[in-house]
């Protein structure tokens, strides 16, 4: 694909310190943080690169999952007894202690499933087979910059990247 | 002039000592011996593609043993009924339950080595977490088969699942067996997803560096991972939540397994310390099995750069601690029975000390207490791969014998002497037992060639945060917290 004005800039940097300087200078020349996407082969905290903190809703999703698991357990352990009562050996219909075990396990299962499906897939936007800009060098430890800017800003961004020794590449749209 | 000469000599000497110290630290500790990420990726991918004739033959043997030993024998039992098993009155629980408890115990390895050490930020565990997590998943798969095998009429297993039915029968939620099923399902789901989560970036790495069917497979498994800030942030948060959730689930699973025994009126089983006794025993055998499997994997995959003596030594210290803890619980259980004044309880102790169970009981004490205590205090032994392989293998033999004694031994004596008996496992039970071990090793060895055995990104992250620094005349490691 030929490089056009509308296609993003893709650059690779080896060093974290240089990447942090690039982030800083891009902001100085007028590139907004949401116009820059950073790809890396290891987790780099937002504070290290001076990027805004990524918002996340895990604190809502996980308790919701726990609640769903807990309510499912309630349905099983109390609903069953209420619907089909069987009197056995003078035991209480609603004996709480043994039911606590099922309630505990299903609550934990709710947390596990909600964290995995909603937290990891939905929140991260991990959807396979969609074409995205990527370079395998990222998994070899290089830091990738995908910068979506046009016109004069594009030139200034390129200048910053060149100054810090970034390797500017043709953006490859890969079906990952 | 003389002081100048001395100073020069001192400086040269100091330089040499520091250089040697630094070199020694690099040889010892993975996290201060960094290599380029591309080189680490290459080492791991080469290991995954190392399929030697020996490996193929081993897999074939294990696969055949699994098919014949486990599945054929299981089919034979389904065809002819539970009469082909050796369980007879009064010993109604035999090797199937022994195997179930044993494999659930092994499954504690991954959670302990991965989740607990992750929560406590034990940095050395970074390269060994994956191998331990794989053990958890595969051992749970094997463990989950045994309640089905023990059912006899396996095809009725769905009666355990709560669903509306015309007979208006519901599972008994007050039964420890249903607690078992619920807990194992939660643990298996949790530990499989906990294995998968940190694998996603490694699958992406494998996708980027392989071709053909492997690339297609890893492309699906990597879920389109690119390593964006959102992806990393959510992955790290999810891993933290999983690490904290899977620990109490792990404790609950083996506690519930212990309640299968402790909830009965059986002398020897009815004990309030059975929960922690089982959990400690499970971690003891699980961590020992991690060492055994790490040594096998290191040799088979040639991962000597990633899995070093430091890891084996750190884990063997844990084993020694858990040997102490297990002994404490064992002694508690034994002493209360001894001085409890119950005649049947005394019969159980006699059975172990002087009866037909005695050889197993003494072997258990030798493998679980005598050998670890006599050997693991020594740094030299803790650093010897051969010694550790034999000691950890012995511990798992000892822990297997413990379950044999608790399950099949204790059932031989009860309050009615006319109902005392013995137990001899049948060829079907022995065959299924051998098959279950084969299945575990088969799955483990097979997946070492499909799953990246070492979480390279975690090792890389650890290497970024560890440095060698000089303090006075010594060179030591220092850790930086980047979070």
């Amino acid at each position: 694909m030929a490089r056009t004005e509308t296609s993003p800039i893709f650059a690779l940097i080896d060093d974290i310190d240089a990447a942090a300087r690039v982030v800083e200078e891009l902001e100085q020349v007028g590139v907004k943080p949401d116009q820059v996407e950073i790809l890396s082969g290891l987790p780099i905290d937002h504070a290290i690169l001076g990027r805004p903190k990524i918002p996340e809703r895990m604190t809502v999703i996980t308790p919701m999952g726990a609640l769903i698991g807990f309510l499912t357990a309630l349905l099983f352990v109390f609903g069953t007894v209420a619907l089909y009562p069987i009197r056995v050996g003078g035991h209480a219909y609603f004996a709480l202690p043994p039911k606590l075990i099922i309630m505990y396990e299903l609550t934990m299962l709710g947390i596990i499933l909600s964290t995995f499906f909603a937290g990891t897939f939905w929140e991260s936007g991990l959807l396979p087979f969609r074409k995205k800009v990527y370079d395998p060098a990222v998994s070899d430890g290089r830091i990738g910059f995908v910068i979506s800017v046009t016109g004069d800003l594009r030139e200034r961004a390129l200048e910053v990247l060149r100054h810090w020794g970034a390797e500017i590449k043709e953006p490859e749209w890969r079906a990952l | 002039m003389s002081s100048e000469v001395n100073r020069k000599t001192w400086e040269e000497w100091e330089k040499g000592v520091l250089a040697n110290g630094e070199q020694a630290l690099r040889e010892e500790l993975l996290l201060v011996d960094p290599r380029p990420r591309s080189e680490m990726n290459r080492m791991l991918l080469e290991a995954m593609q190392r399929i030697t004739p020996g490996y193929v033959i081993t897999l074939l043997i294990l696969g055949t043993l699994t098919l014949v030993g486990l599945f054929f024998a299981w089919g034979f039992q389904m065809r002819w009924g539970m009469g082909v098993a050796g369980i007879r009155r009064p010993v109604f629980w035999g090797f199937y339950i022994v195997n179930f408890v044993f494999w659930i115990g092994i499954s504690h390895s991954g959670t302990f080595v991965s989740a607990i050490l992750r929560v406590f930020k034990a940095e050395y565990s970074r390269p060994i977490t994956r191998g331990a997590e794989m053990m958890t998943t595969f051992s749970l798969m094997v463990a989950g088969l045994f309640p089905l095998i023990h059912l006899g009429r396996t095809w009725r297993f769905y009666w355990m699942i709560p669903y509306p039915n015309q007979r208006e029968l519901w599972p008994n939620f007050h039964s420890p067996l249903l607690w078992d099923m619920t807990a194992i399902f939660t643990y298996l789901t949790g530990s499989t997803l906990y294995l998968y989560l940190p694998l996603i970036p490694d699958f992406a790495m494998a996708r980027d560096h392989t071709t053909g069917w492997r690339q297609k497979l890893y492309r699906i498994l990597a879920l389109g991972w690119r390593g964006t800030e959102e992806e990393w942030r959510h992955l790290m948060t999810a891993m933290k939540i999983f690490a904290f959730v899977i620990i109490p689930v792990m404790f609950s699973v083996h506690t519930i397994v212990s309640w299968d025994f402790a909830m009965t009126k059986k002398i020897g089983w009815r004990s309030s310390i059975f929960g922690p006794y089982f959990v400690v025993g499970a971690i003891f055998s699980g961590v020992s099995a991690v060492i055994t499997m790490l040594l096998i994997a290191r040799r088979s995959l040639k991962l000597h750069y990633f899995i070093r003596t430091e890891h084996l030594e750190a884990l063997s210290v844990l084993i020694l601690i858990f040997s102490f803890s297990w002994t404490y619980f064992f002694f508690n259980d034994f002493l209360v029975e001894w001085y409890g004044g119950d005649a049947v309880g005394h019969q159980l102790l006699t059975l172990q000390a002087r009866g037909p169970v005695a050889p197993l009981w003494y072997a258990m004490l030798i493998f679980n207490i005598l050998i670890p205590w006599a050997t693991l205090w020594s740094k030299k032994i803790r650093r010897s791969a051969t010694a550790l392989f034999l000691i950890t293998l012995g511990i798992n033999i000892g822990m297997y014998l413990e379950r044999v004694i608790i399950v099949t031994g204790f059932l031989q004596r009860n309050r009615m002497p006319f109902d005392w008996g013995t137990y001899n496992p049948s060829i079907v039970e022995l065959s299924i037992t051998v098959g279950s071990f084969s299945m575990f090793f088969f799955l483990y060895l097979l997946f070492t060639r499909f799953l990246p055995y070492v979480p390279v990104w975690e090792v890389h992250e650890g290497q970024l945060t560890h440095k060698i620094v000089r303090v006075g005349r010594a060179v030591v490691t220092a850790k930086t917290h980047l979070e």
Side-chain angles (χ1 to χ4, degrees), chain A residues 5-85:
Chain A
E5 269 290 289
T6 50
S7 72
I9 301 168
F10 184 71
L12 288 165
I13 294 179
D14 290 318
D15 183 43
I16 291 185
D17 293 333
R21 299 301 298 268
V22 167
V23 169
E24 190 185 344
E25 290 194 12
L26 283 175
E27 255 188 83
Q28 283 172 7
V29 298
V31 179
K32 291 177 190 154
D34 60 3
Q35 291 174 314
V36 181
E37 191 179 35
I38 295 176
L39 314 178
S40 63
L42 77 166
I44 303 174
D45 194 76
H46 68 99
I48 294 172
L49 292 179
R51 297 270 294 161
K53 193 174 181 179
I54 308 282
E56 63 176 8
R57 286 172 291 184
M58 288 286 205
T59 45
V60 179
I61 291 168
T62 304
M64 284 298 288
L67 186 67
I68 292 169
F70 181 74
L71 291 176
T72 310
L74 279 188
L75 188 75
F76 281 141
V77 296
F78 288 107
T80 309
V81 181
L83 286 171
Y84 308 101

Side-chain angles (χ1 to χ4, degrees), chain B residues 366-442:
Chain B
I366 290 167
F367 284 129
N368 289 356
I369 302 173
L370 188 67
I371 294 176
W373 290 23
T375 55
L376 291 178
W377 59 268
S378 157
K379 195 178 175 75
K380 200 176 167 188
I381 292 175
R382 290 201 306 268
R383 296 176 68 84
S384 159
T386 314
L388 280 182
F389 184 79
L390 294 172
I391 293 165
T392 53
L393 205 61
I395 288 170
N396 270 303
I397 293 171
M399 286 308 297
Y400 191 87
L401 294 176
E402 185 224 30
R403 278 73 179 245
V404 171
I405 294 164
I406 289 178
V407 179
T408 69
F410 286 11
L411 280 173
Q412 295 177 25
R413 297 289 181 271
N414 53 47
R415 293 202 183 281
M416 293 174 286
F418 64 87
D419 200 25
W420 289 1
T422 53
Y423 167 74
N424 292 305
S426 72
I427 188 78
V428 175
E429 284 169 301
L430 292 173
S431 170
I432 286 177
T433 301
V434 171
S436 76
F437 278 85
S438 304
M439 182 178 164
F440 173 78
F441 283 107
F442 176 80

Side-chain angles (χ1 to χ4, degrees), chain B residues 308-327:
Chain B
R308 303 187 179 198
T309 308
E310 57 157 327
H311 305 113
L312 304 175
E313 195 185 354
L315 289 179
S316 56
V317 171
L318 283 178
I319 290 177
L320 189 57
I321 293 166
F322 280 105
S323 176
F324 293 149
S325 315
W326 179 85
T327 309

Side-chain angles (χ1 to χ4, degrees), chain A residues 76-99, chain B residues 172-174:
Chain A
F76 281 141
V77 296
F78 288 107
T80 309
V81 181
L83 286 171
Y84 308 101
I86 302 170
R87 177 66 77 184
V88 180
H91 282 248
Y93 278 171
F94 294 98
L96 187 63
K99 289 179 169 60
Chain B
N172 179 8
F173 291 105
H174 295 183

Side-chain angles (χ1 to χ4, degrees), chain B residues 22 26 54 68 71 119 132 144 167 179 207 210 244 266 271 274 285 297 408 417 437 449 452 454:
Chain B
E22 201 174 316
R26 288 195 198 288
V68 178
F71 291 105
V119 165
R167 293 168 297 122
W179 304 343
R207 170 201 66 200
T210 51
F244 278 97
K266 176 83 196 69
S271 159
F274 249 38
S285 70
T408 69
F437 278 85
R449 291 341 192 245
V454 174

Side-chain angles (χ1 to χ4, degrees), chain B residues 60-103:
Chain B
L60 282 175
I61 293 170
L62 290 171
T64 311
L65 278 174
T66 307
L67 277 177
V68 178
L70 177 59
F71 291 105
F72 177 77
W74 187 7
F76 180 81
Q77 180 181 281
M78 281 198 258
R79 168 69 182 81
W80 296 104
M82 285 300 279
V84 300
I87 46 177
R88 300 281 183 278
R89 187 174 155 183
V91 184
F92 284 120
W93 283 7
F95 266 36
Y96 299 150
I97 301 297
V98 171
N99 291 329
F100 169 64
V101 180
F102 177 78
W103 287 114

